[in-house]
Amino acid sequence: MLSRVADSLYWMSRYIERSEHTCRLIEVNLKQMLDESPEVSGKRWERVVNCLRTDPPSRSDREAWTVATWMMFDKSNPDSVASCVAAARENARQVREMISADLWETLNRLHLYVKSCLTDAAAKRDPHEFLRHIKHEIHVLHGIADSTVVHGEGWMFLMAGKNVERAAATTALLSEHVQDFLAQQIGQGAEGFLHWVGVLRSCTAFEAYTKTYTAEVRPGRVLEFLLLSPIFPRSVRFCISSVRKSLESIEFEHGTKRGAKALKAARRLESLLDFLQVEDMMDETLRLRLAEIEQLCGMVHSALEDAYIFYENAPSEIRGAA
């Protein structure tokens, strides 16, 4: 497979996943701020910006609606939903012969919807409908891709992109919340319960969590579930296992050891997660461990890109930040 094709498939998948994660995070936090004081709400949006590993133009301007609008509609922000959907569509356009017509048409329709909302005042006044629509369409995209795209080497790059993005996003989310938890900036009792329910909902994990641990929400259990569950599709462990399987399949297709470094990094991270005991390290150790996991996610991405998809003179608009 050409590096150009692998590049576009990998980044198309990452941008789609990034769009959905951003939508969900904004929607959850817009709803939760209704029950909070302005002080708590201000800290919440500071945390949202940090979780997304992005930085608004003005660090002093972290007011809820300003941050939400900047993350949804601002095309000058490369991490906004509008920019990510446009970049995913551009990557798909580069490899139309590798994806199905149904997948292309659905992604193109999503792109046109987002584009129309940029000048629609009603969409900006009521962002919940905008966010729900994007999430729904991306779920449809995943289903169409699974049903209509050949599960060959190209599919493995799609899966690798989705799961690298998902693992990194979940780790960043947990890292920010653990940091505030250890600094005792997250309340106890009802406030703490709502906070950790929000963390679960940010990963669409609340229902799955209650089926595993009942409705008793504890910080240690939430962290354990989102980090280590072997069966929940958004847990870091599940995602990294999927990345490792994708890399093994790609290596088998190539018949070489070209991706050995990426595979080694994925196996190292998977092994680390296999032996992690969250309940035994609810202190500074956990924060350091999450930083290590996030660093290893970056290493998997860099090694994969170096081995298979880096090529000189790649169009800058089709690549994003790891």
Side-chain angles (χ1 to χ4, degrees):
M1 174 175 285
L2 293 173
S3 294
R4 176 185 64 80
V5 175
D7 192 2
S8 291
L9 290 171
Y10 178 77
W11 275 108
M12 179 184 81
S13 195
R14 286 200 67 162
Y15 277 125
I16 290 172
E17 184 62 30
R18 193 172 296 181
S19 305
E20 192 212 346
H21 178 68
T22 303
C23 283
R24 202 173 335 98
L25 214 55
I26 293 173
E27 187 179 30
V28 167
N29 284 281
L30 282 175
K31 287 180 178 174
Q32 288 210 311
M33 66 179 282
L34 297 176
D35 299 322
E36 293 175 336
S37 65
E39 293 76 20
V40 175
S41 178
K43 179 60 187 173
R44 171 178 294 284
W45 288 94
E46 177 83 25
R47 194 181 296 123
V48 168
V49 168
N50 293 336
C51 287
L52 293 171
R53 298 291 186 251
T54 187
D55 198 13
S58 168
R59 292 196 64 81
S60 60
D61 196 3
R62 302 293 175 96
E63 187 268 333
W65 183 240
T66 304
V67 171
T69 304
W70 185 70
M71 286 307 306
M72 287 187 288
F73 301 113
D74 196 332
K75 290 293 292 286
S76 68
N77 172 14
D79 295 318
S80 72
V81 175
S83 296
C84 287
V85 170
R89 189 253 188 193
E90 178 58 25
N91 276 283
R93 191 182 67 78
Q94 305 269 344
V95 288
R96 281 191 62 178
E97 74 283 1
M98 295 296 295
I99 61 176
S100 67
D102 287 338
L103 180 58
W104 164 250
E105 287 170 9
T106 306
L107 183 52
N108 203 37
R109 193 165 58 242
L110 176 63
H111 170 65
L112 293 175
Y113 169 77
V114 173
K115 201 173 172 184
S116 71
C117 289
L118 297 181
T119 54
D120 185 353
K124 293 182 178 179
R125 278 198 305 272
D126 181 14
H128 294 288
E129 177 55 33
F130 172 81
L131 296 168
R132 275 194 297 271
H133 186 85
I134 301 287
K135 285 193 306 171
H136 177 266
E137 287 298 301
I138 289 177
H139 290 162
V140 171
L141 270 175
H142 287 317
I144 290 175
D146 187 52
S147 305
T148 63
V149 176
V150 173
H151 287 207
E153 190 181 1
W155 174 257
M156 295 306 160
F157 281 107
L158 285 174
M159 291 298 98
K162 180 177 80 172
N163 286 299
V164 165
E165 181 72 29
R166 199 174 271 185
T170 302
T171 307
L173 177 80
L174 296 180
S175 185
E176 289 302 317
H177 286 272
V178 163
Q179 190 167 307
D180 288 347
F181 174 74
L182 296 176
Q184 298 185 336
Q185 293 182 357
I186 295 174
Q188 304 292 322
E191 186 186 327
F193 174 82
L194 288 174
H195 179 90
W196 290 105
V197 168
V199 173
L200 288 168
R201 290 198 189 284
S202 297
C203 298
T204 58
F206 181 65
E207 291 177 353
Y209 172 90
T210 58
K211 287 179 172 61
T212 305
Y213 294 107
T214 74
E216 187 181 3
V217 177
R218 295 183 189 173
R221 288 181 175 179
V222 172
L223 294 166
E224 183 179 82
F225 186 70
L226 292 177
L227 264 180
L228 305 179
S229 171
I231 54 175
F232 180 62
R234 291 185 186 277
S235 81
V236 178
R237 184 181 179 189
F238 183 95
C239 293
I240 291 303
S241 293
S242 300
V243 172
R244 189 256 306 158
K245 290 172 187 171
S246 297
L247 290 171
E248 286 175 347
S249 298
I250 292 169
E251 189 170 89
F252 178 78
E253 290 282 339
H254 274 253
T256 66
K257 296 293 183 184
R258 187 174 164 187
K261 190 176 176 184
L263 194 51
K264 184 178 177 183
R267 285 174 176 159
R268 180 182 164 192
L269 179 49
E270 191 177 17
S271 176
L272 170 67
L273 292 164
D274 281 344
F275 293 99
L276 207 62
Q277 293 288 334
V278 173
E279 294 280 4
D280 297 339
M281 55 172 73
M282 290 298 288
D283 50 26
E284 186 65 13
T285 310
L286 181 57
R287 191 187 67 76
L288 295 174
R289 195 65 78 195
L290 284 167
E292 183 182 0
I293 292 169
E294 194 169 358
Q295 185 183 21
L296 283 170
C297 286
M299 286 174 61
V300 172
H301 160 77
S302 299
L304 189 156
E305 196 166 58
D306 289 345
Y308 295 112
I309 65 180
F310 179 77
Y311 65 103
E312 292 185 359
N313 303 321
S316 59
E317 67 271 19
I318 67 171
R319 280 190 180 155

